[in-house]
Amino acid sequence: MTAARKLIDVNFINPFLEATLKTLDTQASTKAHAGQVYLKQKSDKYSGDISGVIGLVSDAFTGSVVISFPAKTFLAVLSRMIGEECTEINDMTRDGAGELTNIIFGQAKIVLNKAGYGINTALPSVIAGHDHSVVPMTNGPRMVIPFETDVGPFVVEICLSNS
Amino acid sequence: MFDPATKILIVDDMLTMRKIVSKACRELGFTDLTEAADGAIAWSKISESPTPFGLIISDWNMPNCTGVELLKRIRGSQKYSKTPLILVTAEAEQKQIVEAVKAGVSGYVIKPFTAQTLGAQIESVHAKLKAG
């Protein structure tokens, strides 16, 4: 498989979709439903209040995965994860966004590396701020997976470029 | 099953995961829970505790002292070498698991996990301990 084919392969997107569904269900008792995956245009804007970002690095490509939540959705999910009421974005809840990103990335990485993608271990970063957007430093296509839950929507965005 | 009064040390650099593991342990009936933010702090708590920990549940990837480094330190100590240690990881790579097994890990759990999954692993560790 060539690197170029890997970039557009739906098999690359699905592990992140499945990992997200499994993580929210198992760790936060939250059933999420994925919407139609779409290619993000420069004009598209998603209003996130807290985002976990993690680098995708292998010999063939670089990129990033961004998981963006409105505050209401994220605080409800985190409250279920830790069994405590979370009411505001603070250091503790930012830590939660990092851990959630880490778990989803780890699950997807297991599947992708079994398929030979060779993704390196990476540590998540967290960006918080009302209605922010995350702009990747790579110029490849940005695929967006929208999710809906009983506590609101969120998105997972994957951006890849050849190394 | 472990005695619910078992003293458990939960080690993770991420506060959220310490809270998740603590919540799962409480759901399983354990009440004597201590937390540490990395392997180095965990070692201090282990060596300074007046009563020994009966079980350690540790993250794998942490700054300062990783879960496997903590495991090796524990297995290398005369006083605490038999303390069961379960590793928690988000990335179960084969070579990582082999390294942990060689170092004497008692069991491991892959994130995400439920309290039931952790409980099954704790039960398995207890059965191995009883079998000697």
Short mmCIF file of all heavy atoms in Angstrom, two decimals, chain B residues 15 17 22 38 41 100 104 106 118:
data_model
loop_
_atom_site.label_atom_id
_atom_site.label_comp_id
_atom_site.label_asym_id
_atom_site.label_seq_id
_atom_site.Cartn_x
_atom_site.Cartn_y
_atom_site.Cartn_z
N LEU B 15 -4.59 12.92 36.40
CA LEU B 15 -5.56 12.96 37.50
C LEU B 15 -6.86 12.24 37.13
O LEU B 15 -7.44 11.51 37.94
CB LEU B 15 -5.85 14.42 37.87
CG LEU B 15 -6.94 14.69 38.90
CD1 LEU B 15 -6.59 14.05 40.23
CD2 LEU B 15 -7.15 16.20 39.08
N MET B 17 -7.37 9.72 35.09
CA MET B 17 -7.29 8.26 35.14
C MET B 17 -7.18 7.77 36.59
O MET B 17 -7.74 6.71 36.91
CB MET B 17 -6.10 7.77 34.30
CG MET B 17 -6.05 6.27 34.09
SD MET B 17 -7.62 5.45 33.64
CE MET B 17 -7.96 6.10 32.01
N SER B 22 -9.90 4.88 40.74
CA SER B 22 -10.44 4.95 42.11
C SER B 22 -11.93 4.65 42.11
O SER B 22 -12.43 3.90 42.96
CB SER B 22 -10.21 6.34 42.72
OG SER B 22 -8.85 6.57 42.93
N ASP B 38 3.21 9.64 39.89
CA ASP B 38 4.18 8.97 39.01
C ASP B 38 4.88 7.86 39.80
O ASP B 38 4.65 7.68 41.00
CB ASP B 38 5.19 9.95 38.39
CG ASP B 38 6.10 10.62 39.41
OD1 ASP B 38 6.55 9.94 40.36
OD2 ASP B 38 6.39 11.81 39.24
N ILE B 41 7.00 8.96 42.96
CA ILE B 41 6.16 9.27 44.14
C ILE B 41 5.58 7.97 44.70
O ILE B 41 5.51 7.78 45.92
CB ILE B 41 5.03 10.26 43.75
CG1 ILE B 41 5.63 11.60 43.32
CG2 ILE B 41 4.05 10.46 44.91
CD1 ILE B 41 4.64 12.54 42.64
N ALA B 100 6.99 -6.28 30.14
CA ALA B 100 6.32 -6.26 31.44
C ALA B 100 6.22 -7.66 32.04
O ALA B 100 6.43 -7.84 33.25
CB ALA B 100 4.93 -5.66 31.28
N GLY B 104 7.91 -9.23 35.55
CA GLY B 104 7.12 -9.81 36.63
C GLY B 104 5.78 -9.15 36.90
O GLY B 104 5.28 -9.16 38.03
N SER B 106 1.88 -8.65 37.26
CA SER B 106 0.86 -9.60 37.71
C SER B 106 -0.31 -9.68 36.73
O SER B 106 -1.00 -10.70 36.65
CB SER B 106 0.34 -9.19 39.09
OG SER B 106 1.41 -8.94 39.96
N LEU B 118 -11.67 -4.50 35.25
CA LEU B 118 -10.61 -4.36 36.27
C LEU B 118 -10.81 -5.41 37.36
O LEU B 118 -9.84 -6.04 37.82
CB LEU B 118 -10.63 -2.95 36.87
CG LEU B 118 -9.58 -2.67 37.93
CD1 LEU B 118 -8.16 -2.80 37.37
CD2 LEU B 118 -9.76 -1.28 38.54
#
